[in-house]
Amino acid sequence: MSKIALITGITGQDGAYLSEYLIKKGYIVHGMKRRSSLFNTERIDHLYQDPHRENRNLILHYGDLTDSMNITRIIQEVQPDEIYNLAAMSHVKVSFDMPEYTANADGVGTLRILEAVRLLDLTKKTRIYQASTSELYGLVQEIPQKETTPFYPRSPYAVAKLYAYWITVNYREAYGMHASNGILFNHESPLRGETFVTRKITRAVSRIVLGMQEKTYLGNLSAQRDWGHAKDYIRAMHLILQQDTPSDYVIATGITTSVRDFIKKAFEEVGVEVEFKGEGVDEKGFISSIDTSKFGERVGQEYLESFQKRIGTEAVNVDPAYFRPTEVELLIGDPTKSKTVLGWEPKYDLPALVKDMMQSDVELMKKDAFLKDGGYRTMNYFE
Ligand code: NAP
Ligand code: F7E
């Protein structure tokens, strides 16, 4: 018998990688997707199966974490062995603009799932993974951060996730449920949402070297994050639910890098050196040199001549619109528990992650005729 998994947030970055991973393992995967006026399944379209087909291993249900009855009905219908609660309003900056909605979806949404499993008498059958986050550490109380480090959330997103973390622990202790938190540090990929900083950078660098955009505007360049690859992190989610005993785990690489250094690495990946000058809002990134053979190989010889004129010009500016009212300056995780207990090891390091994202975005930007013609999607503003 195949195991049955229900993934909330299946249309997101992690949902897409996890569903593919579980299907390959022989699972039948059910996913909750939101109704939208446009298609919102791009990340999982390659897994889609016509509903008329028999023995499908990917089945989608309309749903929303703010709707208890809908969640309860889906769980009743699906009778899942494992629930991965990945759905969330996941953008930290946007959570300052939508604090109540964020609390409802990211905080109370988790309660709705736990309570549905309890009411449906599935506490012994259904294991639950809660997508907790390194944002819980916020104003960090210890370096590096591990499972026992006290939390100090710094955004409506993190405060909502704090409720979700503790209600998961509470249901585990109160009702003996197999409910666990993965405290995942930032993880990125070619599928990362376009307004998170790494993807914003790899898209912008690709556009700049292809001559489609002059410069990019970013916020706090000194923030430091422990960045891993989403493909590694979804394996940890699955491992957490395969343990006999539920528990909470930090998933991280143990290495931290500043936003500024991520920008440099993204440019280096295509043979371009960027130098930063100035401080605070006046800090700027200048194109200082080009490794012409690397540029030719990674971007294309035909783009080189016009890009050479960019030497000495600005490619990165700071716009305070991207600053957050309260910032998380430094995150670095200690993954000792997940390595020893779960046997989890990441396959990607930061250079491999940057390479994967840059290769994908250079190709994507070359193909995107809308962007090539000077079009600019509205998504980059203030996130
Ligand atoms: P993501 O790409 O932003 O995906 C979020 C998913 O949640 C999307 O499928 C989205 O649907 C869905 N969603 C949003 N609000 C919903 C609602 N009210 N009801 C139902 N679905 C809703 O996020 P991700 O990077 O894959 O992250 C997955 C989870 O891990 C999130 O809970 C996030 O907070 C958490 N997390 C992420 C990281 C990270 O670095 N990526 C680290 C720690 C924790 P649409 O596609 O329709 O928008
Ligand atoms: O910001 C700084 C920004 O939006 C990272 C979510 O997946 O990971 C993510 O949250 C850093 C911050 O991710 C820009 O101020 C500078 O210090 O990529 P981000 P995040 O806020 O760390 C955690 C673990 C989650 O759980 C969340 O769901 O980069 N930064 N300039 C910028 N950030 C953005 N977005 N845009 C900028 O222009």
Side-chain angles (χ1 to χ4, degrees):
M1 283 288 282
S2 299
K3 273 196 191 173
I4 298 176
L6 171 63
I7 304 177
T8 72
I10 195 165
T11 57
Q13 170 190 254
D14 292 2
Y17 284 123
L18 180 65
S19 44
E20 184 166 2
Y21 183 73
L22 293 181
I23 287 169
K24 279 196 186 132
K25 283 200 167 297
Y27 279 66
I28 295 173
V29 172
H30 290 255
M32 179 198 276
K33 73 160 185 168
R34 299 195 286 181
R35 194 270 156 182
S36 156
S37 68
L38 291 169
F39 288 125
N40 60 356
T41 50
E42 200 181 319
R43 291 188 179 103
I44 51 167
D45 281 345
H46 61 296
L47 303 172
Y48 180 78
Q49 292 165 336
D50 189 289
H52 303 97
R53 184 180 143 167
E54 277 178 26
N55 303 323
R56 281 186 298 157
N57 51 21
L58 179 75
I59 298 145
L60 298 179
H61 306 257
Y62 280 113
D64 199 295
L65 278 194
T66 59
D67 182 340
S68 309
M69 282 188 275
N70 157 267
I71 291 171
T72 310
R73 185 184 50 74
I74 294 173
I75 295 176
Q76 184 177 29
E77 250 175 62
V78 171
Q79 297 279 312
D81 298 298
E82 297 172 7
I83 297 180
Y84 295 86
N85 181 31
L86 309 186
M89 201 310 288
S90 71
H91 203 287
V92 172
K93 175 74 164 41
V94 176
S95 78
F96 288 95
D97 299 330
M98 305 175 67
E100 183 185 346
Y101 173 76
T102 306
N104 192 3
D106 299 14
V108 184
T110 304
L111 170 68
R112 293 186 179 104
I113 290 176
L114 292 160
E115 188 60 2
V117 167
R118 191 173 78 87
L119 292 175
L120 293 167
D121 222 3
L122 291 170
T123 52
K124 294 285 169 277
K125 173 182 168 72
T126 306
R127 297 182 173 194
I128 300 172
Y129 172 86
Q130 169 56 23
S132 284
T133 166
S134 52
E135 284 294 299
L136 294 170
Y137 299 117
L139 188 62
V140 297
Q141 304 292 297
E142 188 179 24
I143 297 170
Q145 296 85 52
K146 52 181 185 281
E147 290 79 4
T148 50
T149 303
F151 298 139
Y152 193 138
R154 294 270 280 174
S155 62
Y157 167 77
V159 174
K161 286 281 189 177
L162 184 77
Y163 177 82
Y165 174 93
W166 281 116
I167 200 67
T168 302
V169 173
N170 182 243
Y171 270 58
R172 174 166 86 217
E173 293 175 354
Y175 307 117
M177 287 168 65
H178 196 298
S180 302
N181 287 287
I183 309 170
L184 271 53
F185 282 62
N186 299 52
H187 45 281
E188 320 292 314
S189 73
L191 297 186
R192 184 59 146 153
E194 291 88 345
T195 61
F196 296 98
V197 78
T198 56
R199 187 77 200 288
K200 186 171 164 184
I201 293 167
T202 58
R203 279 172 53 93
V205 170
S206 304
R207 287 169 53 79
I208 290 168
V209 295
L210 292 168
M212 296 159 75
Q213 178 176 332
E214 191 195 343
K215 55 171 102 163
T216 185
Y217 295 86
L218 293 154
N220 179 7
L221 303 181
S222 299
Q224 289 171 266
R225 288 292 182 276
D226 180 331
W227 278 300
H229 199 300
K231 277 190 181 170
D232 283 328
Y233 286 46
I234 56 99
R235 284 194 291 110
M237 296 176 186
H238 179 250
L239 281 171
I240 289 172
L241 290 200
Q242 307 320 303
Q243 305 308 303
D244 290 340
T245 316
S247 190
D248 309 313
Y249 298 88
V250 159
I251 308 296
T253 69
I255 294 169
T256 195
T257 308
S258 68
V259 171
R260 187 181 297 103
D261 283 344
F262 191 97
I263 300 168
K264 286 187 181 178
K265 285 177 197 301
F267 273 108
E268 267 167 33
E269 191 48 44
V270 284
V272 178
E273 201 186 323
V274 166
E275 220 176 281
F276 282 88
K277 292 182 190 155
E279 270 180 37
V281 292
D282 297 322
E283 185 168 358
K284 295 179 197 316
F286 294 87
I287 293 164
S288 58
S289 66
I290 306 168
D291 173 338
T292 51
S293 70
K294 198 170 177 186
F295 186 100
E297 181 200 314
R298 309 262 166 107
V299 183
Q301 207 60 38
E302 65 273 35
Y303 298 95
L304 183 59
E305 198 185 319
S306 68
F307 191 70
Q308 275 173 322
K309 297 184 193 124
R310 291 292 318 262
I311 291 183
T313 64
E314 288 171 23
V316 182
N317 281 189
V318 172
D319 182 344
Y322 297 107
F323 293 165
R324 289 147 190 211
T326 39
E327 172 66 299
V328 173
E329 291 292 347
L330 165 74
L331 290 173
I332 175 166
D334 173 357
T336 306
K337 180 177 172 186
S338 55
K339 289 191 174 192
T340 50
V341 179
L342 303 175
W344 176 76
E345 279 295 337
K347 293 180 185 155
Y348 285 81
D349 59 9
L350 189 67
L353 170 68
V354 174
K355 191 183 191 66
D356 194 22
M357 293 180 73
M358 280 303 299
Q359 267 179 355
S360 167
D361 273 336
V362 167
E363 286 317 306
L364 200 66
M365 295 305 133
K366 280 184 185 172
K367 273 191 228 139
D368 195 326
F370 173 80
L371 294 172
K372 228 173 174 173
D373 290 345
Y376 200 79
R377 301 204 197 284
T378 51
M379 90 259 153
N380 269 349
Y381 300 108
F382 311 122
E383 294 174 33

